[in-house]
């Protein structure tokens, strides 16, 4: 037997009964609150931490992949960026273009993920509950990733010299 539930009659002294049962060998006594805390600190907490680590790794990898995509797209447009600089475009304009590209990429990715989630989650073997606050938090994370990922492309764009158009 791994667990025994004890129901007390009205008026019974719960602490005295718990002391008596706790005196038996190889027996532990837990109140309902202690049982809940034991469960939450054990398997549920471990699963929560594992899921949190998995999410953090996914966010980190997503940010790296997005930064590399924006960087590659910036390299492909090096000649166009140099031409913009040659005709007098300010760095603010170039930064804005790259940032817009990153935000558009993030918005498209978020939209695809939302659509697939609406389509796939109902057929999961377990219930997946995504609240509007979860979706809002995810949108904020996507926004932060997009802005951070554009940094590598912006860095490369600002280092492009206008004279490469002439060569």
């Amino acid at each position: 037997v791994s667990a025994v539930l004890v129901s007390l009659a009205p008026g019974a002294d719960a602490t005295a009964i718990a002391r008596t049962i706790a005196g038996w060998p190889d027996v532990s006594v837990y109140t309902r609150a202690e049982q809940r805390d034991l469960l939450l600190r054990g398997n549920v907490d471990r699963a929560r931490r594992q899921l949190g680590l998995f999410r953090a790794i996914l966010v980190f990898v997503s940010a790296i992949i997005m930064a590399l995509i924006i960087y590659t797209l910036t390299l492909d447009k090096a000649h166009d960026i140099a031409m913009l600089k040659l005709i007098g475009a300010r760095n603010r304009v170039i930064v804005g273009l790259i940032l817009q590209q990153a935000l558009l990429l993030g918005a498209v990715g978020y939209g695809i993920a939302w659509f697939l989630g609406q389509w796939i989650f109902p057929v999961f073997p377990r219930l997946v509950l995504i609240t509007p606050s979860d979706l809002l938090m995810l949108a904020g994370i996507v926004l932060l990733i997009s802005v951070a990922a554009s940094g590598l492309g912006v860095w490369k764009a600002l280092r492009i010299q206008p004279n490469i158009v002439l060569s």
Side-chain angles (χ1 to χ4, degrees):
V1 175
S2 59
V4 174
L5 295 176
V6 176
S7 297
L8 301 178
D13 185 12
T15 55
I17 294 171
R19 268 195 315 267
T20 303
I21 294 174
W24 300 345
D26 299 329
V27 174
S28 298
V29 177
Y30 297 105
T31 64
R32 186 172 299 200
E34 291 171 338
Q35 291 173 33
R36 182 179 164 277
D37 290 342
L38 186 64
L39 179 63
L40 291 179
R41 279 190 319 226
N43 295 336
V44 174
D45 186 52
R46 187 177 309 118
R48 185 185 59 79
R49 286 186 282 139
Q50 286 173 343
L51 285 173
L53 179 62
F54 183 66
R55 285 183 201 160
I57 290 170
L58 280 177
V59 166
F60 182 70
V61 169
S62 298
I64 289 174
I65 290 171
M66 192 164 173
L68 291 175
I69 289 170
I70 298 297
Y71 181 76
T72 303
L73 291 172
T74 303
L75 287 179
D76 289 343
K77 294 188 211 74
H79 185 270
D80 299 332
I81 292 170
M83 180 63 79
L84 283 170
K85 285 185 171 187
L86 189 64
I87 62 173
R90 297 178 187 254
N91 285 338
R92 209 176 62 211
V93 172
I94 295 167
V95 168
L97 291 172
I98 293 171
L99 187 58
Q100 285 176 3
Q101 182 180 16
L103 291 173
L104 182 64
L105 185 64
V108 168
Y110 180 81
I112 291 171
W114 180 84
F115 176 74
L116 287 176
Q118 297 299 316
W119 182 60
I120 292 174
F121 288 158
V123 297
F124 269 24
R126 293 195 182 243
L127 175 66
V128 177
L129 181 63
I130 299 180
T131 62
S133 64
D134 291 339
L135 291 173
L136 189 61
M137 185 172 48
L138 179 61
I141 290 170
V142 169
L143 178 70
L144 288 174
I145 288 174
S146 299
V147 170
S150 70
L152 191 59
V154 166
W155 174 78
K156 180 60 180 172
L158 294 179
R159 296 191 65 212
I160 294 174
Q161 296 299 320
N163 60 359
I164 66 166
V165 171
L166 304 174
S167 57

